Amino acid sequence: GAVVSQHPSWVICKSGTSVKIECRSLDFQATTMFWYRQFPKQSLMLMATSNEGSKATYEQGVEKDKFLINHASLTLSTLTVTSAHPEDSSFYICSARDQGGTAYEQYFGPGTRLTVT
Amino acid sequence: AQSVSQHNHHVILSEAASLELGCNYSYGGTVNLFWYVQYPGQHLQLLLKYFSGDPLVKGIKGFEAEFIKSKFSFNLRKPSVQWSDTAEYFCAVKKSSGTYKYIFGTGTRLKVLA
């Protein structure tokens, strides 16, 4: 089946620093990837849609200058949390759409737990 | 705005009990529907999906869901739960055209007592 990986699986950083999270589709090409944020005991909130070769589309209320998204290839999207603060601590999950698939299904990565101290 | 409601936030069942988790959505057009499961410490896994055809959908691990268009519902069922079904369950909805975005429900945390 389609596999999506994320790296790192967890990261601790100091307030004010930037952190990059990678999302890779391992066995399929993904023109579209999605970044979600999940707070403890809450649902997944879509942050942005990452489009290969073009700018990401951000959901209302998500700061595009804070959460930088780059989708430079058909298998890799990155999310950079800039000038991180403790309130950015969360579980970040990416998903990818198989452009060769027939049902517009998304495949989810294992998530990255970010803790900002 | 499109929304997805899961009314049961926490459910506790004994093994062998039957399970039904509710999912209702607000969008009036044609939709694609999904149920995902997230086991403790693991990533989201697809249980089942509905795109068209038979409204009764069978998924993995003995789960099934029924799409009732008139009620805007897509409830998840399992006739006999096991301790290993302890997990969080998310319903998700996507408009069938015009977007790839999923809207997730708030999730239902299921605990099955051995």
Side-chain angles (χ1 to χ4, degrees):
Chain A
V3 178
V4 175
S5 69
Q6 282 185 242
H7 178 80
S9 55
W10 59 271
V11 57
I12 301 173
C13 71
K14 292 186 177 180
S15 188
T17 62
S18 296
V19 175
K20 180 184 284 188
I21 303 170
E22 293 184 349
C23 176
R24 293 181 186 274
S25 57
L26 298 186
D27 50 2
F28 65 97
Q29 293 184 326
T31 53
T32 308
M33 292 182 171
F34 303 87
W35 287 97
Y36 295 85
R37 186 171 178 176
Q38 186 180 25
F39 290 101
K41 300 182 180 181
Q42 295 188 32
S43 187
L44 284 76
M45 300 300 295
L46 180 64
M47 299 174 64
T49 301
S50 172
N51 304 296
E52 187 268 335
S54 64
K55 292 182 179 180
T57 305
Y58 291 81
E59 295 300 300
Q60 191 172 12
V62 177
E63 300 176 61
K64 59 182 68 176
D65 294 331
K66 181 169 187 60
F67 298 100
L68 300 179
I69 291 172
N70 184 272
H71 193 156
S73 78
L74 287 171
T75 59
L76 173 64
S77 175
T78 60
L79 169 69
T80 301
V81 183
T82 63
S83 187
H85 288 95
E87 56 266 31
D88 298 325
S89 298
S90 190
F91 196 52
Y92 293 87
I93 301 173
C94 75
S95 69
R97 187 182 76 82
D98 183 354
Q99 70 172 32
T102 59
Y104 300 118
E105 186 174 330
Q106 292 184 23
Y107 301 95
F108 287 82
T112 297
R113 185 162 300 284
L114 169 65
T115 301
V116 184
T117 60
Chain B
Q2 191 176 0
S3 66
V4 179
S5 299
Q6 290 181 243
H7 308 295
N8 315 102
H9 297 296
H10 291 90
V11 174
I12 301 176
L13 295 173
S14 297
E15 275 195 316
S18 63
L19 170 72
E20 180 160 1
L21 301 182
C23 173
N24 289 88
Y25 62 93
S26 63
Y27 181 62
T30 306
V31 294
N32 305 136
L33 300 156
F34 307 83
W35 274 99
Y36 285 87
V37 61
Q38 187 175 33
Y39 297 102
Q42 296 188 28
H43 63 280
L44 283 169
Q45 298 176 37
L46 180 66
L47 275 179
L48 47 78
K49 61 191 177 192
Y50 172 81
F51 280 77
S52 64
D54 189 344
L56 184 61
V57 181
K58 295 192 183 298
I60 61 171
K61 306 186 179 187
F63 287 91
E64 65 177 33
E66 185 174 12
F67 171 48
I68 303 179
K69 188 174 181 179
S70 61
K71 295 186 178 180
F72 299 90
S73 70
F74 189 56
N75 292 355
L76 181 71
R77 300 193 292 247
K78 185 171 184 178
S80 176
V81 295
Q82 300 173 314
W83 177 80
S84 57
D85 293 323
T86 295
E88 188 149 19
Y89 294 80
F90 293 96
C91 179
V93 175
K94 183 187 88 64
K95 294 181 188 179
S96 64
S97 63
T99 181
Y100 301 129
K101 296 197 294 187
Y102 286 21
I103 306 297
F104 279 86
T106 51
T108 297
R109 194 172 292 269
L110 171 66
K111 184 171 184 177
V112 180
L113 304 175

